[in-house]
Every structure is written in C-alpha cells, then in structure tokens.
Amino acid sequence: MQNYVSSSATKMNEHEKAADFVDENRAKLIQEVSEVLAIAEELGDLVHPEAYALIEAKETSQEKMRVLFQRTLRSGGVTAKAAFFDALKNHHPDLVERLGG
C-alpha cells in the first residue's frame, strides 16, 4: 500500500513541474511567445476581463506576455501556470520542446 500514489497526487506533481517550467523560462517565454491572445483565450476564466483588455491593448507580443505574467500567472499560482503550460504546448510545441518541457 505504501507504493500507491493517487492520481491526484500525480496530477499535482505534473502541475508543479509545469509551473516550474513557466517560472524558470519566464524571460524566454516573454521574448518568444507570439500567440498571446490565443493562449489568453484558451485560459478562459483564469484571465480576468480587465487583464484580457490590457493584453489586447498592448502592441507587441512581449508586452502582452508581460501583462499575462503580471496579471494572471503570478496571482493564479500553480493552477494558472499549469493551464498556461498546456496552452503553450498547443500553440508553441517546438518552443516547449526546445526549452525542455
């Protein structure tokens, strides 16, 4: 019985790994992610409407990513970062692979 690991514990470890990936690669993600609005839309309710409006108003993808990090990923913690990581895999799979995710 001691070797039994519940699926929720495994899931949490995956979420923590995803959050660590996002934290460790913050600078590179800000520079290289271009599909920021698509990712923000995929995050749905995790992105507050005010934050979405700020993201939308920024001109460059780097500015959009900075707002996403400041307004959503920082306050959303592991859950938001794990969801962001999943969206990132959908929109930028090559980037995720290159960064070791």
Side-chain angles (χ1 to χ4, degrees), residues 9-72:
T10 303
K11 197 75 149 170
M12 193 58 198
N13 285 338
E14 290 173 13
H15 284 168
E16 288 170 352
K17 287 178 186 175
D20 287 346
F21 173 88
V22 172
D23 288 337
E24 290 169 7
N25 292 290
R26 182 180 189 273
K28 288 181 181 169
L29 294 172
I30 287 172
Q31 291 304 313
E32 298 190 38
V33 171
S34 59
E35 301 289 328
V36 186
L37 284 177
I39 289 171
E41 289 171 9
E42 193 168 324
L43 293 176
D45 290 341
L46 292 173
V47 180
H48 189 277
E50 181 182 308
Y52 187 86
L54 286 170
I55 292 166
E56 205 171 32
K58 296 297 181 183
E59 290 187 28
T60 69
S61 59
Q62 290 85 4
E63 291 172 319
K64 292 175 192 295
M65 279 298 296
R66 283 188 189 97
V67 172
L68 185 63
F69 266 101
Q70 292 166 352
R71 297 289 182 133
T72 300

